[in-house]
């Protein structure tokens, strides 16, 4: 018979994955601070360029701008706490702050996926219904889509937070560098059926649903391209490639995260540093990939960057 677990009054969690890095903590702090500032600067510059250049006030670039905003928002939910924990000796974080970080991180991942699904739909309308594009994807509709994406993502994880608040916890050690929903539920003295169902719904609604929406859009785009000319197929491929790369990167990142949280893959035979990279892969690399895939990679934005630099000389 398993020993009875006693409920404890948890006032704080310990993020055990940081460990003791000695003097190297200042090196890691410097690298992560530089990375965080770079993410902020690149995404902020691209937001400013899209805002200033009226030629980019189109549905596609509004959706791209929304993606840049989310990269700043999502990275801000991780880096400030992570940077402070790197210099800390105790690696403690209060329960309210931990829950707030967790909800914000998951909400930003949800916004990322659904934003890419909206962008895939935008490309589907542009390629499959070019004559009706301006009617279907007007500014008002795009604003409603963006509002729905953010509203749905935060409401979804606010409801999830209500489940966590009522959990009876029998421990406070989280073996990660940020507050993770799956690991917090594993600290529960007894996980109910409702909580197990909520975990499945979390993965399904955050990853599977938008991923399927993207696949459906690109399947329809591919069908149209195969029937059209090679030139049209080439243009469609160049437009859609960044989104396919981003969605693939997100899916890989989510897989790393789930494997790290829910399986024994990250056992003692896997180096701690590799485990940490797996757990934060999505939150570290995606905000840096997006400005290149959707900013400097797009001809119109590159031209807008040149005009912006020339006008501000």
């Amino acid at each position: 018979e398993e020993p009875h677990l006693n409920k404890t009054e948890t006032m704080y969690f310990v993020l055990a994955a940081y460990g003791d890095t000695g003097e190297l903590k200042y090196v890691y702090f410097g690298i992560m601070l530089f990375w965080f500032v770079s993410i902020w600067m690149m995404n902020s510059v691209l937001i400013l360029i899209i805002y200033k250049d009226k030629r980019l006030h189109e549905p596609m670039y509004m959706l791209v701008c929304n993606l840049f905003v989310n990269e700043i928002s999502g990275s801000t939910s991780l880096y400030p706490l992570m940077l402070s924990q790197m210099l800390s000796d105790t690696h403690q974080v209060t329960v309210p702050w931990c829950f707030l970080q967790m909800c914000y991180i998951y909400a930003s991942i949800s916004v990322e996926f659904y934003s890419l699904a909206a962008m895939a739909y935008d490309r589907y309308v542009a390629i499959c219904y070019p004559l009706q594009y301006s009617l279907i994807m007007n500014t008002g509709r795009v604003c409603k889509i963006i509002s729905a994406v953010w509203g749905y993502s935060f409401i979804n994880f606010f409801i999830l937070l209500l489940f966590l608040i009522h959990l009876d916890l029998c421990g406070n050690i989280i073996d990660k560098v940020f507050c993770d929903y799956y690991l917090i539920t594993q600290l529960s003295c007894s996980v109910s059926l409702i909580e197990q169902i909520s975990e499945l719904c979390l993965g399904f609604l955050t990853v599977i649903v938008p991923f399927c929406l993207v696949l459906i859009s690109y399947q329809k785009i591919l069908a149209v391209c195969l029937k059209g000319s090679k030139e049209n197929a080439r243009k469609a491929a160049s437009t859609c490639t960044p989104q396919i790369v981003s969605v693939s990167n997100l899916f890989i990142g989510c897989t790393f995260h789930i494997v790290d949280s829910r399986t024994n893959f990250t056992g003692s035979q896997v180096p701690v540093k590799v485990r940490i990279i797996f757990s934060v892969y999505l939150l570290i690399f995606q905000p840096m990939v997006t400005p290149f895939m959707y900013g400097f990679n797009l001809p119109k934005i590159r031209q807008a960057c040149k005009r912006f630099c020339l006008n501000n000389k």
Side-chain angles (χ1 to χ4, degrees):
E1 187 179 348
E2 291 184 4
H4 177 70
L5 294 171
N6 295 319
K7 177 185 174 182
T8 58
E9 192 66 33
T10 303
M11 303 300 294
Y12 61 87
F13 291 107
V14 177
L15 300 176
Y18 285 99
D20 183 15
T21 54
E23 293 301 314
L24 281 175
K25 67 183 179 183
Y26 298 108
V27 176
Y28 295 145
F29 177 86
I31 292 169
M32 286 296 100
L33 180 61
F34 172 76
W35 197 265
F36 180 45
V37 171
S38 299
I39 288 170
W40 255 88
M41 285 183 66
M42 285 195 295
N43 284 284
S44 297
V45 165
L46 289 167
I47 291 168
L48 179 64
I49 286 168
I50 292 173
Y51 173 75
K52 288 281 189 183
D53 198 319
K54 288 188 170 33
R55 297 178 186 87
L56 298 178
H57 293 183
E58 300 173 6
M60 176 183 171
Y61 298 104
M62 288 172 66
L63 292 169
V64 167
C65 188
N66 172 61
L67 211 55
F68 297 147
V69 171
N70 186 56
E71 302 305 357
I72 292 173
S73 174
S75 56
T76 303
S77 67
L78 171 70
Y79 283 89
L81 180 61
M82 185 169 71
L83 290 168
S84 67
Q85 289 297 319
M86 282 179 173
L87 299 179
S88 170
D89 294 323
T90 59
H91 308 303
Q92 294 179 357
V93 55
T94 61
V95 171
W97 187 257
C98 190
F99 283 174
L100 179 65
Q101 186 200 41
M102 180 210 68
C103 284
Y104 215 91
I105 284 174
Y106 280 104
S108 70
I109 291 170
S110 176
V111 169
E112 189 91 8
F113 266 110
Y114 280 100
S115 294
L116 289 172
M119 290 168 71
Y121 175 73
D122 173 75
R123 292 301 86 203
Y124 158 69
V125 175
I127 293 167
C128 300
Y129 301 97
L131 299 178
Q132 289 87 25
Y133 178 76
S134 57
L135 246 156
I136 298 171
M137 294 300 290
N138 53 54
T139 303
R141 181 159 295 178
V142 171
C143 289
K144 287 177 184 176
I145 289 171
I146 291 171
S147 300
V149 165
W150 282 83
Y152 166 79
S153 297
F154 276 91
I155 289 169
N156 187 28
F157 288 99
F158 176 75
I159 293 169
L160 201 67
L161 177 62
L162 297 179
F163 282 110
L164 283 180
I165 289 171
H166 294 95
L167 277 182
D168 293 335
L169 300 176
C170 294
N172 68 340
I173 308 296
I174 300 174
D175 194 18
K176 247 182 187 175
V177 295
F178 65 92
C179 297
D180 176 33
Y181 172 80
Y182 295 106
L183 294 185
I184 292 173
T185 55
Q186 285 173 23
L187 295 174
S188 174
C189 302
S190 59
V191 180
S192 68
L193 180 62
I194 294 175
E195 285 153 7
Q196 291 175 337
I197 292 170
S198 73
E199 286 186 25
L200 291 173
C201 289
L202 172 68
F204 181 76
L205 294 174
T206 306
V207 181
I208 305 301
V209 171
F211 189 70
C212 288
L213 291 173
V214 170
L215 287 180
I216 291 167
S217 295
Y218 284 121
Q219 181 266 327
K220 291 181 180 296
I221 290 170
L222 183 62
V224 170
C225 289
L226 290 174
K227 293 176 183 175
S229 66
K230 288 184 180 180
E231 180 64 20
N232 287 339
R234 188 188 63 78
K235 285 181 181 177
S238 65
T239 303
C240 299
T241 298
Q243 292 171 28
I244 294 169
V245 171
S246 290
V247 170
S248 301
N249 190 53
L250 274 172
F251 195 76
I252 290 168
C254 286
T255 303
F256 282 165
H257 172 70
I258 292 167
V259 166
D260 181 64
S261 300
R262 304 297 292 169
T263 73
N264 293 321
F265 176 75
T266 54
S268 58
Q269 64 271 42
V270 179
V272 175
K273 289 183 178 64
V274 175
R275 290 180 59 192
I276 292 172
I277 291 170
F278 276 175
S279 68
V280 295
Y281 173 87
L282 185 62
L283 300 166
I284 286 181
F285 290 102
Q286 188 66 21
M288 191 63 87
V289 167
T290 299
F292 290 99
M293 295 303 299
Y294 295 101
F296 309 116
N297 185 51
L298 299 179
K300 276 194 175 182
I301 291 185
R302 280 204 305 271
Q303 290 164 11
C305 287
K306 288 176 184 175
R307 285 194 296 269
F308 183 80
C309 292
L310 290 171
N311 292 335
N312 288 276
K313 272 189 177 179

